[in-house]
């Protein structure tokens, strides 16, 4: 049983720390170089997701279980294992973001593209083998240091005024991103925040339902304030005469922070890159371990595989995502929508208080995943589909809903009644 001792501020701090990572930082900066202040969309979606989670945080706290544990309780162990397996999908996107971040840092240190990928993957894999309890403090400290330098870079590049006017600038720049893409990011990121067990653990650890709700609201506000920092730093730094440019948009945030640190001392620039690299390695190692745990939970009881083999499988999936060349935010959103499309209908059924049978829910989730994957197939074959993430989300949810309706009618004709699970 989780110890329930956290106040609202502690809950908020943990939720923010779980959200503010390399994907948030580097991905927002990369998007800012492409879309201006609209690059804050990932952070804004994360913050709004936290605020949305506040709407049911009290009920979640009273239930004492994460949403997906409740789904497994109601629909059976097979569904629990399937959801654990599908969680590999969205976690692979997070791990891919850490790989992208590490690659960007290593390339700025002078390595070529192929060597940078190999070094990043090898170091993340190696870091995941360490005992991370003490190391996690070092990795978290590196990320905190980057946040301090981010603020310093904002001041040094005269970006404070730009940050102060970021909200109207965001609204003005949003059309450049496109309504469909903005909507897909909002759904793909916001819903995952609401349903992520990694976030629920902090809500469940609150000392009461009120603290859980206030913690989510405070985290949402904090993340909305943080969302505009990376774009403001990038946009202000890129206008400076000393800006050298970048070979890849993913390098823009580490480049800006390294230049800011270099104004303090020439030796500080490579140190700053090392700090950012350590943060990416630490986050990547933590995600890789979580993926191994999910694979262990999803495998059949009679099957066996060593953690090393499972880690290699998880890393291979994430490395394949990085090979697509998509921006960091697009990489994470694409796998998020595949996951949400798979489990969204079953989650909706759960929130309505309806029970489901093990076989039926397995088929519904499978139909959602197949529908979402079908939308991505032309892209994988080299035929890009406009707004493919939105198409995948809609097609997956439609497939799952159709499967739900067909199974319900079939069971109704057979006089079937699902067995309630306690």
């Amino acid at each position: 049983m989780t110890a329930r001792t956290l106040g609202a501020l502690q809950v908020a701090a943990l939720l923010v720390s779980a959200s503010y990572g390399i994907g948030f930082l580097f991905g927002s900066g990369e998007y800012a170089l492409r879309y201006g202040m609209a690059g804050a969309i990932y952070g804004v979606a994360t913050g709004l997701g936290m605020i949305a989670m506040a709407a049911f945080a009290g009920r979640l706290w009273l239930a004492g279980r994460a949403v997906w544990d409740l789904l497994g309780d109601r629909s059976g162990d097979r569904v629990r294992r399937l959801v654990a397996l599908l969680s590999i999908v969205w976690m692979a996107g997070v791990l891919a973001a850490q790989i992208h971040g590490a690659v960007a840092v290593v390339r700025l240190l002078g390595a070529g593209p192929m060597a940078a990928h190999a070094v990043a993957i090898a170091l993340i894999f190696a870091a995941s083998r360490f005992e991370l309890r003490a190391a996690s403090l070092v990795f978290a400290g590196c990320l905190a240091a980057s946040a301090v330098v981010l603020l310093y870079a904002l001041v040094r590049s005269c970006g404070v005024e730009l940050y102060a006017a970021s909200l109207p600038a965001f609204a003005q720049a949003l059309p450049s991103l496109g309504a469909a893409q903005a909507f897909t990011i909002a759904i793909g990121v916001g819903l995952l925040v609401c349903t992520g067990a990694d976030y629920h653990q902090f809500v469940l650890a609150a000392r009461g339902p009120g603290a859980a709700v206030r913690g989510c609201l405070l985290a949402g506000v904090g993340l909305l304030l943080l969302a505009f920092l990376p774009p403001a730093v990038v946009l202000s730094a890129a206008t400076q005469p000393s800006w050298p440019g970048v070979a890849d948009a993913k390098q823009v945030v580490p480049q800006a922070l390294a230049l800011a640190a270099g104004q303090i001392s020439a030796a500080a620039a490579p140190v700053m890159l090392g700090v950012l690299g350590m943060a990416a390695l630490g986050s990547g190692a933590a995600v890789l371990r979580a993926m191994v745990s999910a694979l262990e939970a999803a495998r059949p009881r009679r099957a066996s595989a060593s953690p090393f083999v499972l880690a290699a499988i998880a890393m291979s999936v994430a490395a394949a995502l990085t090979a697509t060349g998509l921006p960091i935010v697009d990489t994470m959103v694409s796998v998020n929508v595949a996951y949400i499309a798979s489990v969204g209908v079953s989650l909706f059924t759960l929130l309505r208080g309806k029970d489901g049978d093990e076989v039926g829910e397995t088929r519904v989730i499978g139909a959602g995943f197949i529908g979402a994957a079908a939308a991505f197939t032309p892209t994988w074959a080299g035929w890009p589909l406009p707004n493919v993430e939105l198409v995948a989300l809609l097609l997956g949810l439609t497939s799952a809903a159709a499967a739900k309706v067909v199974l319900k009618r079939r069971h109704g004709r057979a006089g079937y009644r699902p067995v309630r699970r306690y």
Side-chain angles (χ1 to χ4, degrees), residues 66-369:
V67 167
W68 300 118
D69 289 327
L70 294 175
L71 182 62
D73 292 342
R74 291 202 177 193
S75 300
D77 193 54
R78 182 184 297 182
V79 173
R80 192 194 309 275
R81 291 200 306 271
L82 181 58
V83 171
L85 181 62
L86 285 171
S87 67
I88 299 298
V89 174
W90 71 263
M91 283 193 283
V94 178
L95 180 54
Q98 314 314 310
I99 296 174
H100 276 310
V103 168
V105 170
V106 175
R107 289 191 65 184
L108 285 174
L109 289 171
M114 294 297 294
H117 276 83
V119 169
I121 291 171
L123 289 178
I124 290 175
F125 192 89
S128 71
R129 313 306 298 168
F130 298 156
E131 203 291 309
L132 290 181
R133 179 170 297 179
S136 63
L137 296 176
V138 176
F139 297 139
C142 290
L143 200 55
S146 72
V148 172
V149 177
L150 190 72
L151 291 172
Y152 175 73
L154 184 71
V155 174
R156 290 287 299 184
S157 59
C158 304
V160 176
E161 291 185 5
L162 180 61
Y163 176 76
S166 56
L167 190 57
F170 174 75
Q172 186 176 5
L174 203 55
S176 67
L177 184 61
Q181 183 70 356
F183 174 78
T184 306
I185 293 173
I187 296 297
V189 176
L191 279 183
L192 196 67
V193 169
C194 289
T195 59
D198 49 341
Y199 297 114
H200 291 174
Q201 63 179 322
F202 305 127
V203 174
L204 297 176
R207 65 169 60 109
V213 172
R214 291 192 299 273
C216 291
L217 292 174
L218 289 171
V221 172
L223 287 166
L224 288 175
L225 293 174
L226 286 172
F228 299 104
L229 274 177
V233 168
V234 167
L235 295 175
S236 58
T239 61
Q240 300 301 307
S242 59
W243 178 249
V246 289
D248 185 345
K250 296 178 179 66
Q251 300 172 344
V252 65
V253 167
Q255 179 76 289
L257 296 188
L259 289 174
Q263 293 173 347
I264 301 173
S265 166
V271 169
M272 186 69 247
L273 290 175
V275 165
L276 290 169
M278 288 287 288
L281 293 180
S283 298
V287 175
L288 183 55
R289 284 196 165 198
M291 292 176 74
V292 170
S293 296
L295 284 171
E296 289 176 337
R299 72 185 182 191
R301 293 176 181 174
R302 295 182 180 180
S304 63
S306 71
F308 183 87
V309 172
L310 295 177
I313 293 171
M315 181 62 80
S316 298
V317 175
L321 287 174
T322 64
T324 63
L326 290 172
I328 292 174
V329 171
D330 290 354
T331 299
M332 292 190 289
V333 169
S334 64
V335 291
N336 285 2
V337 299
Y339 178 73
I340 292 167
S342 303
V343 300
V345 170
S346 295
L347 174 61
F348 180 73
T349 302
L350 170 69
L351 295 178
R352 289 185 61 200
K354 303 293 185 180
D355 289 320
D357 69 290
E358 193 170 58
V359 175
E361 289 303 319
T362 300
R363 291 174 177 172
V364 169
I365 293 172
F369 180 77

Side-chain angles (χ1 to χ4, degrees), residues 379-390:
T379 301
W380 296 333
W383 302 322
L385 185 67
N387 300 317
V388 64
E389 292 88 0
L390 182 58

